[in-house]
Amino acid sequence: MLITIPDVLNVGEVAQARAKLDAAEWVDGKVTAGYQAQRVKENHQLPEGHPAAVELGEMVLGALARSPLFMSAALPLRVFPPMFNRYTGGGHFGTHVDTAIRAMATTGQRIRTDVSATLFLSAPEEYDGGELLVEDTYGSHSVKLPAGHMVLYPATSLHRVEPVTRGARVASFFWVQSMIRSDGDRTLLFDLDTAIQRLAVEVPGNAAGVQLTGVYHNLLRRWAEM
């Protein structure tokens, strides 16, 4: 399931993030790439543990906690601390699959990367190229969102970032270990949750809504890994 989540960060939060990121010292993005990804990765990022990355990561985590759409789509168990990258001057990231298990630099705790996330911090008109292309059974999907918007997609997907030929593409990226390992099961639960919420608005108090809510939670109880 590929889903976009608008306005994760508001205009003021995006401006605050950009001010800190534009003043930061970036390092070669290969430092966190796996063996396969190192050969196709040309970008810069903030080192894990950098003060700006820690501060802005807390901002992003707080915003995620306030997003019902993120909670419904990702069903998060753990979220990898948000990281930040920058593509300029032809920078790109060739086709790859994200590493399955990642260890947090601060604690060493490992998480399984079920869901990948990109939170855009540059407006589309600030740069040319830089589209995120995600492949699935229905083809290749191009994503280039307004600043403050985020996309979620299965970490199992082949994906790439097209070369940035003008300006700078700045973003936050991270991974989620979901309570629901299977993307197909997450999609089913998300669709059911969406239908329940729509029913509550269109036919408030309908008994079917209570019954469907019970089905949702019983499926979640059956499939969830804690």
Side-chain angles (χ1 to χ4, degrees), residues 116-162:
S116 296
T118 297
L119 172 59
F120 289 79
L121 297 173
S122 297
E125 60 271 18
E126 291 184 59
Y127 61 100
D128 293 334
E131 296 84 0
L132 171 66
L133 296 180
V134 182
E135 299 179 19
D136 62 17
T137 54
Y138 299 101
S140 182
H141 307 275
S142 178
V143 184
K144 187 173 182 178
L145 300 178
H149 291 35
M150 182 172 72
V151 62
L152 301 178
Y153 57 97
T156 54
S157 304
L158 287 170
H159 57 282
R160 67 183 185 273
V161 176
E162 292 288 83

Side-chain angles (χ1 to χ4, degrees), residues 23 25 56 68 102 120 135 157 186 189 195 200 202 210:
E25 294 183 2
L56 297 178
R102 298 197 70 100
F120 289 79
E135 299 179 19
S157 304
R186 282 196 308 275
L189 287 168
E202 296 181 356
V210 177

